[in-house]
Structure formats: structure tokens, C-alpha cells
Amino acid sequence: MATFKITRVNTTPFEGQKPGTSGLRKKVKVFIQPNYLQNFVQATFNALGADRVKNAILVVSGDGRYYSKDAIHIITKMAAANGVRRVWIGQNGLLSTPAVSAVVRERVGADGSKATGAFILTASHNPGGPHEDFGIKYNMENGGPAPEGITNKIYENTTTIKEYLIAEGLPDVDISTTGVSSFEGPEGKFDVDVFDSTSDYLKLLKSIFDFPSVQNLLSSPKFSFCYDALHGVAGVHAKRIFVEELGANESSLVNCVPKEDFGGGHPDPNLTYAKELVARMGLSKAHSEPNPPEFGAAADGDGDRNMVLGKRFFVTPSDSVAIIAANAVQAIPYFSGGLKGVARSMPTSAALDVVAKHLNLKFFEVPTGWKFFGNLMDAGMCSICGEESFGTGSDHIREKDGIWAVLAWLSILAYKNKDNLGEGNLVTVEDIIRQHWVTYGRHYYTRYDYENVNADGAKELMAHLVKLQSSIDEVNKVIKEIRSDVSNVVHADEFEYKDPIDGSVSKHQGIRYLFEDGSRLVFRLSGTGSEGATIRLYIEQYEKDSSKIGRDSQEALAPLVEVALNLSKMQEYTGRSAPTVIT
């Protein structure tokens, strides 16, 4: 058995190691600086404290982006030196973010042990490669992201760190082959367990959904299916789940081989970046597909986000979570006893609110960031939740879950079509959406992303919007000069959230303008980029009249878009005449 000793390495702080909503994200060139990753990892161990680190079992894996394997070896050696008892690594270092959460919550070791936390190596939907992004975040024993109390401590520690611990003499473990490697250190035995990346996650999903009914749908000659992993880690799970378990044709899978640079693409599942799927589903303006599949879906780099498409039909994430909530009890066995409650992030459209009111469900509006949902779920107050940024999930884990969302939709389609897979017309994705709008009304909704804008200009724009809120009368005067056909603003604020579970207060979570007719404008700085600033503008208009729910979304929202861009002075502050992405 190989032995190692513990070495203390002197180091100095790096500026800017403050975790955002989903950990620390920077360019690879930043992370590969000597001691940069090590400082952050040691700061995390120090923030957790000896009681959470000594004899712990940690999961260390991620989306396979460039630098991941090097990072896994570094973290493993640091874990050993800090007294961790065992490290669990998905084969080839690959685990989607939802799979990590499932492993932390569900996996039981040979000796009956369970994981106590996880380092997830991902920059989510951001591009990968030597010149692109890398990221790291820590998840707690509940499988969810570290709360602000921990992330604030991590950041404080990065500003004062003087040394880190690493195991000298511990070899790089072969992570391409499953099995346990054991080593001996000053404080006893240390194990590295490389395990199958999909088994635990699949076992959990099979306990949630009726796999035979989904299999019947996928095997029907009437139904066709397409799943695009954008060369992210979801591809590892896709073949096992959709092809081997559910019987889909392997040709249904697109870009399902994970690559360190995501094939040179941008692994963000939206209409701009998922070009191949968009074309295949008949939604490309440049290419007309004669016979698109009935159902299509895409994942992001780490597999926690999803985009759902019908034949020539886009499903907004805000509608998606509302429709899943409206149909979950009937279509998904896990929810057959009823929903405990539902929740959405503040910028997400109010489509879920209407469902909650109609079904008499507890409803929560939280800041952007999955950890806020986690508190509600741990307290047994929330079953289904979603974010407009293509994130949907439930209380089966403590992360958003892209494959779960796809299986939820397939389950709804299977339920709606249980009597007509032989004869009769198929109930389509579009049919389900349009019927939902007839029942609950339609929330016309769009998001404009201005990526990598000058950070100072972005801050000035936000400050300008806050200043405007001091006089609603003045705001309405400006709006009427821009568009006389737009309703009056009745309330404007910076969203602030008091957590009903732990009492913590989160301020400055986005700037809101709420209109008399139920419309909303929301402006927010995103915390998921690696450089510059990303301004996100959310525009929403509610329509109850069933005769007016069939309009093109961008056409219906054009007056509000014009107001938003002029009111914020977007071009003046950012220098941009158009957004980077429209969803």
C-alpha cells in the first residue's frame, strides 16, 4: 500500500476569489496559476471546519471541461492531507451536477457510509477549453450548494490564506477504471473510489417516474424523440437512460460524447446556441426541416439545465415548470400523493403563480440561485421549482436537473397519450401548451442577455434604474413619452428576500418594475459569467383573453421591449445596439 506524508505549502492570497451564485468561475488561464485552485480548496476546507472535514467522504467530479482531470488530482491530494477519509470520483471524473447531488444523497458505500459533501468542477453553461472557462463549487451534505454563510467564509479565508496542505507521495489515481485505491497517511487509511457515473442517478430516477409508460411512448411509431447534450456531461447519462433503459433509438442522441471544449460550442441550451437541435426541430430560420421529431430537448455543460421543444414549437422555461406542476400528480408517480408547494425564482414569469393559486398550493418567490429552493425543500415546503434560465427540478435532489425535466415532459406526454398510441391523433407538446394557456392564461415572456459588457457601465445602468424608482410618477411620464399604449407602473423596487426557514435576508436581487396590467420588467446582473458583466432583462405580459393568446411572443412584447431599452438607456450604458442572446 502506497504511503504519503502531509506537506504545508506557503502561499499568498489572490484577489477576486469570491464565489458567485454557483461557485467560483474564471478563465482557465486564471485557475492554472500556481496555487490558485489550491488556495480556494484550502479556504473551503478551513471554512467547513475540522468537524466537517476529518474522516469525511467527499465526491469530486464534474462536467469534464478542460483542466478538470488535473483539478481532480489536486483536490484529491489536498483532501487526503486535510484528513478526509475517502474520495468518490465518477468514472473519468464525469458526473452531472444533478448526479452529484443524487450521489451525495443516495449512494451508500460498501461499508454503509454516505458522502458528506462534494466539490463540483463546472462552469455550467459557459464555454470550455484552454482559453475558456473553469469553475468549482462546494455542495453540502444535503446535496445542495453551500449556503451564503459558508461561501462568505470561504471568500474571507481566500483573502488571508498563508498555507495549504497537500499529500506528498500520493500518486494520481487512474480515474478511467472503476475500483477502490487505498493509501496510508499519517492519520491512517485514505481511499479513492472510482465508480460508475450513472447507476446511482438512474436508480433514483427510476423511483420517480413510470419508466414502462415512457418506454411505450418512445417505442410508438407515432412518436419521435431527439436529445442534444451539446457535448456536455449529460451525454454520459443519456445513452444509458434514454437508449438502454427506455428504448429510444441511438440516432435520437445528438452531441452526446462529452468533450473538454464541448466541441468548440457554447453548451447553453437555448435557441441561439443549440443550433443543431433547433434546426432538427424545425425552428431554424435558415433551414427548414421537412419532418421534425415530436419532442426535442437539450442540456447544458453540466446537465442541470434543459430546453424543451415540440415540433416547430419552443417551450419557455417559465411555462415548462408551470405545466410540469399542473400535471405532476396525474403523470408522475413520485407526486401521486400531492405537491407540498411550488417555487420560482423572481425573474421567472408568473405562470407558476397562477397554477399554484388554481390548485391551492403553497407558493414561494425566491432570488436566483438554487440554494434558496433547497432550504424550502429541506423543510418539506416545496416539491417542484424552476428558474427562467432553463433550470427545472424537484425535491428528489437539491440541484436543478435537466434529465429529470425531460423525463417529466415525457411522462406528461405518455399520460396524455396513454389511450391513443395505437389509434387517434397524438397529443403534442404544442397541444399541451395551448390547452394550458386556455386554462390558466398566457404569460408572454422573453429574456434579453447582454453578455460580457463593461462592468462599470453595467453598474451605472443599474444605479440609474434604482434612482428612477424614487418617483413612480416620473417613471410613468417617461414611459408614456416612449409608448402611450403601455400600462402604468404601480410598484418598483429592488427585490429583497427573507428566507422563511432560516430568517436570512438577501438584498439587491434584481430591479423590478410592476405594471397595472400584470406586466413586469426585471433587470438583473448575472453572477454566472467569468469576466465582465452580464445584464439580464426580463419582459413579461399576462394575457387572460383566450382569443389573444396565439400571438408571436416578440410581437406581443414589442411595446414593453421598447420601453425597457429606452427607460434603462441600455445602449448608452453598454454600447450594445442588440442583446447577445434572446430567449
Side-chain angles (χ1 to χ4, degrees):
M1 185 184 296
T3 60
F4 63 88
K5 63 180 183 178
I6 298 170
T7 300
R8 294 179 179 271
V9 181
N10 292 329
T11 189
T12 54
F14 290 89
E15 284 188 15
Q17 288 196 315
K18 185 174 179 62
T21 52
S22 296
L24 180 67
R25 295 180 186 173
K26 302 286 182 184
K27 293 296 181 187
V28 167
K29 66 183 179 184
V30 175
F31 266 101
I32 63 175
Q33 295 175 93
N35 297 350
Y36 190 89
L37 174 65
Q38 290 88 335
N39 277 20
F40 187 81
V41 172
Q42 188 64 55
T44 302
F45 283 136
N46 294 347
L48 292 168
D51 59 325
R52 274 197 173 110
V53 176
K54 297 292 183 183
N55 296 313
I57 298 174
L58 294 183
V59 182
V60 183
S61 291
D63 62 17
R65 66 180 54 238
Y66 186 86
Y67 190 58
S68 291
K69 290 177 181 175
D70 291 337
I72 287 170
H73 294 313
I74 290 169
I75 295 167
T76 299
K77 292 171 186 178
M78 291 186 67
N82 277 275
V84 170
R85 169 73 180 81
R86 187 176 291 124
V87 167
W88 289 352
I89 301 171
Q91 191 172 11
N92 294 311
L94 296 171
L95 278 175
S96 68
T97 292
V100 170
S101 188
V103 165
V104 171
R105 295 174 65 83
E106 303 290 334
R107 187 172 195 257
V108 179
D111 60 353
S113 56
K114 294 194 73 175
T116 51
F119 281 102
I120 307 181
L121 307 176
T122 177
S124 188
H125 55 290
N126 294 357
H131 306 292
E132 296 295 349
D133 296 348
F134 186 76
I136 178 171
K137 70 172 184 171
Y138 189 81
N139 278 34
M140 306 299 285
E141 57 271 11
N142 72 342
E148 287 184 340
I150 296 290
T151 57
N152 288 339
K153 277 186 186 176
I154 294 171
Y155 175 59
E156 288 168 15
N157 291 342
T158 67
T159 66
T160 59
I161 192 167
K162 293 180 180 177
E163 65 176 16
Y164 64 83
L165 308 183
I166 196 158
E168 189 177 322
L170 186 71
D172 290 350
V173 172
D174 178 8
I175 61 175
S176 67
T177 305
T178 59
V180 179
S181 303
S182 297
F183 308 93
E184 193 71 36
E187 297 184 24
K189 196 177 172 188
F190 172 73
D191 294 335
V192 178
D193 181 356
V194 181
F195 63 97
D196 179 82
S197 297
T198 304
S199 295
D200 301 285
Y201 181 45
L202 172 61
K203 183 180 177 183
L204 178 60
L205 292 172
K206 289 179 81 170
S207 74
I208 295 168
F209 299 102
D210 181 353
F211 267 47
S213 73
V214 175
Q215 190 172 18
N216 286 341
L217 177 73
L218 290 177
S219 64
S220 169
K222 285 184 177 182
F223 190 80
S224 44
F225 167 79
C226 182
Y227 184 77
D228 188 345
L230 297 178
H231 288 302
V233 71
V236 171
H237 308 309
K239 183 177 180 183
R240 182 87 162 272
I241 294 169
F242 296 123
V243 177
E244 295 176 17
E245 289 288 334
L246 292 170
N249 291 324
E250 197 159 348
S251 60
S252 303
L253 305 185
V254 179
N255 301 321
C256 280
V257 176
K259 295 185 178 180
E260 288 188 333
D261 65 349
F262 306 110
H266 191 146
D268 195 354
N270 59 46
L271 294 172
T272 300
Y273 294 129
K275 292 183 177 68
E276 190 170 344
L277 178 68
V278 168
R280 186 177 284 208
M281 296 304 297
L283 286 165
S284 171
K285 293 175 182 175
H287 172 74
S288 179
E289 180 67 35
N291 188 28
E294 289 294 334
F295 180 85
D300 69 335
D302 69 329
D304 63 352
R305 297 186 182 207
N306 73 95
M307 177 172 66
V308 170
L309 302 172
K311 181 185 289 188
R312 301 189 183 93
F313 198 86
F314 169 62
V315 182
T316 73
S318 298
D319 277 344
S320 182
V321 67
I323 287 162
I324 291 172
N327 292 278
V329 172
Q330 293 78 23
I332 302 171
Y334 180 81
F335 301 114
S336 59
L339 301 180
K340 300 164 188 170
V342 295
R344 64 166 174 83
S345 65
M346 182 275 288
T348 304
S349 95
L352 185 61
D353 312 34
V354 180
V355 171
K357 186 175 181 181
H358 188 85
L359 300 180
N360 197 27
L361 296 171
K362 287 180 185 173
F363 168 78
F364 303 91
E365 181 182 34
V366 307
T368 297
W370 212 258
K371 56 194 170 190
F372 297 104
F373 295 129
N375 270 6
L376 296 170
M377 290 174 176
D378 285 345
M381 298 171 73
C382 177
S383 295
I384 290 175
C385 55
E387 295 181 333
E388 54 69 40
S389 53
F390 296 85
T392 327
S394 89
D395 60 353
H396 68 294
I397 56 171
R398 295 298 179 269
E399 290 278 5
K400 47 186 175 270
D401 189 344
I403 286 180
W404 174 92
V406 173
L407 289 171
W409 264 96
L410 290 172
S411 297
I412 292 166
L413 283 161
Y415 174 75
K416 299 281 188 184
N417 287 289
K418 63 182 184 293
D419 297 324
N420 61 0
L421 289 178
E423 295 182 4
N425 293 326
L426 202 68
V427 176
T428 67
V429 170
E430 183 174 352
D431 292 337
I432 291 170
I433 296 280
R434 292 195 181 280
Q435 184 54 54
H436 184 88
W437 290 342
V438 169
T439 305
Y440 297 102
R442 180 178 181 183
H443 290 260
Y444 286 101
Y445 186 84
T446 190
R447 186 183 93 194
Y448 282 29
D449 287 0
Y450 295 81
E451 297 177 346
N452 297 327
V453 301
N454 178 275
D456 290 337
K459 288 176 185 174
E460 288 173 11
L461 180 146
M462 299 299 276
H464 162 70
L465 287 166
V466 171
K467 187 178 179 182
L468 275 178
Q469 292 181 341
S470 61
S471 173
I472 298 298
D473 289 342
E474 188 61 32
V475 167
N476 284 323
K477 182 180 175 185
V478 172
I479 287 173
K480 292 305 178 189
E481 288 172 356
I482 301 166
R483 291 288 301 227
S484 60
D485 55 345
V486 168
S487 178
N488 280 331
V489 170
V490 291
H491 180 76
D493 63 10
E494 272 197 277
F495 182 60
E496 184 175 298
Y497 177 69
K498 183 175 182 180
D499 194 302
I501 311 306
D502 62 21
S504 61
V505 177
S506 301
K507 299 182 178 182
H508 309 298
Q509 295 297 315
I511 296 166
R512 303 189 299 179
Y513 287 84
L514 311 181
F515 292 75
E516 198 169 25
D517 63 354
S519 300
R520 295 194 312 161
L521 296 179
V522 176
F523 300 81
R524 193 176 72 83
L525 294 181
S526 171
T528 59
S530 64
E531 63 180 5
T534 294
I535 299 170
R536 288 192 169 148
L537 162 60
Y538 312 84
I539 302 149
E540 172 183 359
Q541 182 173 308
Y542 181 51
E543 181 56 71
K544 287 187 288 187
D545 186 341
S546 59
S547 69
K548 297 179 180 177
I549 59 174
R551 300 174 65 193
D552 173 77
S553 185
Q554 294 298 328
E555 176 194 321
L557 292 169
L560 272 174
V561 169
E562 188 177 342
V563 165
L565 298 181
N566 282 279
L567 192 68
S568 63
K569 299 183 178 178
M570 186 68 74
Q571 184 165 355
E572 181 180 324
Y573 284 112
T574 67
R576 303 283 181 87
S577 60
T580 317
V581 176
I582 298 177
T583 54

